[in-house]
Amino acid sequence: MSRSKENSPLLGGESLSCYNSKKDKKKVYLSYLLNVVTLSLLAYFFLIPSSHNHDNKNGGSSGAPPHVDQSKKKNIIMMVTDGMGPASMSAARSFRQFRDGLAINDVLTLDKYLIGSSRTRSSSSLVTDSAAGATAFSCALKSYNGAIGVRPDSSPCGTILEALKLQGYLTGLVVTTRITDATPAAFSSHVDFRSQEDMIAQHQLGEYPLGRMVDLILGGGRCHFYPSGVAGGCRADKRNLIEEAQRNGTWSYVGDRASFDQLDGGHNVSLPLLGLLADTDIPYDIDRDSTEHPSLAEQVKVALTALSKATENSEQGFFLLIEGSRIDHAGHHNDPAAQVREVLAYDAAFAEVIKFIDESDVDTVAISTSDHETGGLVTARQVSEEYPDYLWYPEVLNNSKHSGDFLAQKIYKAKISDEKKLHKFVTKEILEADMGITNYTEDEVKSVVENASNPAKLLYVLNNILSLRAQIGWTTHGHSAVDVNIYAYTNSERLNAKLHSKEPYVGLAGNHENIEIGAFMESISTADLHKVTELIQDTEHSPKKKDSLTADEFHANAVQY
Ligand SMILES: *[C@@H]1O[C@H](CO)[C@@H](O)[C@H](O)[C@H]1NC(C)=O
Ligand SMILES: *[C@@H]1O[C@H](CO)[C@@H](O)[C@H](O)[C@H]1NC(C)=O
Ligand SMILES: *[C@@H]1O[C@H](CO)[C@@H](O)[C@H](O)[C@H]1NC(C)=O
Ligand SMILES: *[C@@H]1O[C@H](CO)[C@@H](O)[C@H](O)[C@H]1NC(C)=O
Ligand SMILES: *[C@@H]1O[C@H](CO)[C@@H](O)[C@H](O)[C@H]1NC(C)=O
Ligand SMILES: [Zn+2]
């Protein structure tokens, strides 16, 4: 690809593929620094319109923006479907209709709350990563791919979680990935690059200028709380944060299904609660053993009950971030069978939120959107030279009992060296019994057998065998730039009127920049992001020298998810 082709006028000449090019790292880093300055200015101006945008020029709904009492007690629930584009919704909806024999008009719960769409680009690329995507929601500003709660110049930016906590709200994070992963991290920590997960864990527990800002944590990710000597641990230092947090008497801790169950659906929670239910990610819903790991909906129920109980007699309610984190992973893996189940698990969690809102007498608003699409998923695929058929096969996804990731690990761990035995294992056990595929070709079996010792490759091979039969297409193992949907619901008439305004920086109906979602949450509350930004400038946020990773290496790491 020529340089000129990579240069986009939209990005002021910045190379779009800068973080992938290994050749001219220095040049790229310089151009990155230069652009940081330009983009800081741009981001600044993006933020300004909130104060002078009341004149309704852009074809939004008519009349003055509805007045919302910012100081009135409310609950704000931010929900993120990581990596879910419109095609994921369509696939999951059709899959469920097929599986459960439902009518054409039987839609997902989310479908009933669609109000708009979000443009997702970051300050450094038209294709965002989750870090910049979540920072757009949390700080209401555009930053670079890899940025966790920091501005384009990598200085910390106040987040909506922190701002609301400082106003007396209780706060929570509920995810299915590592709690130190990009989305939850961007609300609760400040680091230059998403790969600094050791430092993210420290910030999340309160080791930074503001002290502890999070009251409830539920998700995976013990890894960056345990030292690498401890089973499942991966901290570079010797600290055991889980032990420290308990010994300090600051956090109550749950680390397995049995102690999660003792939370009694949220009625027996002592805040602050640190719930880390897996070393890394909680398994895909399609693979999940419910005796070992709770569903996202169960986690959400605990969080909603605990936070609403704890704020019953307070002046302020709570802020809760909920993420369907692994829709994104299924996209990266190009795994349609896992993804439709992830979307359905999220939809069940969303239904819990709707139920909560309907039953709550506190003004509560939930906004659900994605940071970006992952996989370039399409529910159609040309599988032969001939004119393509207009169809795709949800039954193929229903026939598969596990994720490609799970099956790749199963083959890898079986460590069968005898070729004949391996062939039989792959055909009978994996393809037929687990994936429900009987008409595999010898070439397909060969590509599985050949990759048996390489689970990373294996999972792509298996997922492609399945996707091909389902006639589901993928264009990338990374992210795409398509607009993503915004869903929202509230029990407050005024909030509802504001939410449904199309006006930029007023409502979220119609098409919006992702940063407007953060700005919306700020505008309905007494949160002051700029003030928080001033308070956290002394936060340690850059990688330590001794880590000896260059900025480019961090970036290379960062674009992965
Ligand atoms: C979907 O899969 C389930 C579980 O294997 C099976 O019981 C059910 O019959 C399948 N549904 C359809 C419509 O084929
Ligand atoms: C525990 O307390 C010590 C001493 O006050 C403090 O330095 C440390 O950050 C605390 N650790 C955690 C995980 O809260
Ligand atoms: C509540 O939690 C405590 C531990 O914090 C546990 O000992 C107790 O059994 C729990 N109660 C219920 C009803 O699960
Ligand atoms: C396997 O069977 C399915 C339908 O049962 C069909 O759509 C597909 O084309 C077949 N694939 C091969 C490689 O024969
Ligand atoms: C692994 O799978 C790929 C993709 O199907 C195939 O091209 C390759 O030959 C297989 N074997 C190895 C050892 O990579
Ligand atoms: Zn993401």
Side-chain angles (χ1 to χ4, degrees), residues 196-335:
Q196 294 165 257
E197 292 185 51
D198 286 0
M199 194 182 273
I200 289 168
Q202 285 163 243
H203 289 186
Q204 287 176 326
L205 292 184
E207 258 186 41
Y208 81 119
L210 293 179
R212 185 181 56 76
M213 288 286 111
V214 190
D215 296 293
L216 178 144
I217 284 175
L218 281 174
R222 287 186 291 258
C223 191
H224 292 278
F225 292 79
Y226 277 145
S228 46
V230 170
C234 58
R235 286 188 68 80
D237 61 23
K238 297 270 167 330
R239 294 180 65 182
N240 183 331
L241 296 185
I242 294 175
E243 216 174 78
E244 270 185 45
Q246 288 173 273
R247 203 177 50 231
N248 278 8
T250 43
W251 293 80
S252 64
Y253 175 66
V254 300
D256 55 26
R257 174 86 223 203
S259 43
F260 176 84
D261 287 343
Q262 287 194 344
L263 301 175
D264 191 20
H267 294 285
N268 189 28
V269 169
S270 148
L271 297 176
L273 169 72
L274 177 62
L276 299 176
L277 303 165
D279 287 336
T280 56
D281 301 324
I282 292 174
Y284 279 131
D285 211 63
I286 189 176
D287 303 324
R288 187 173 59 85
D289 173 352
S290 62
T291 64
E292 245 184 84
H293 296 283
S295 65
L296 180 61
E298 287 175 275
Q299 292 189 62
V300 163
K301 202 166 176 198
V302 165
L304 291 172
T305 303
L307 292 172
S308 57
K309 264 188 59 166
T311 52
E312 220 163 25
N313 302 311
S314 321
E315 301 264 302
Q316 298 296 354
F318 62 82
F319 170 81
L320 177 62
L321 169 76
I322 298 168
E323 186 192 32
S325 319
R326 304 203 66 202
I327 298 167
D328 173 68
H329 294 181
H332 282 287
H333 292 168
N334 288 185
D335 187 337

Side-chain angles (χ1 to χ4, degrees), residues 443-444 446-454 457-458 460-462 464:
D443 276 350
E444 285 174 327
K446 196 167 156 239
S447 68
V448 177
V449 167
E450 270 182 10
N451 285 299
S453 59
N454 185 346
K457 259 196 173 171
L458 203 47
Y460 288 172
V461 172
L462 292 170
N464 188 46

Side-chain angles (χ1 to χ4, degrees), residues 39-115:
L39 291 163
S40 310
L41 283 169
L42 255 174
Y44 179 72
F45 285 111
F46 264 122
L47 276 173
I48 291 302
S50 48
S51 51
H52 58 75
N53 222 318
H54 294 302
D55 47 337
N56 201 25
K57 271 182 267 177
N58 294 295
S61 51
S62 57
H67 176 75
V68 169
D69 183 353
Q70 293 174 312
S71 55
K72 189 178 178 202
K73 177 174 182 176
K74 54 179 78 69
N75 304 315
I76 301 177
I77 306 173
M78 173 78 219
M79 301 183 69
V80 179
T81 39
D82 202 308
M84 185 180 88
S88 309
M89 278 297 285
S90 165
R93 188 193 304 124
S94 298
F95 167 75
R96 181 167 159 277
Q97 285 172 357
F98 166 83
R99 186 195 62 188
D100 300 343
L102 303 170
I104 289 172
N105 63 355
D106 199 295
V107 297
L108 303 185
T109 304
L110 270 171
D111 282 316
K112 298 170 189 160
Y113 300 91
L114 177 71
I115 66 163

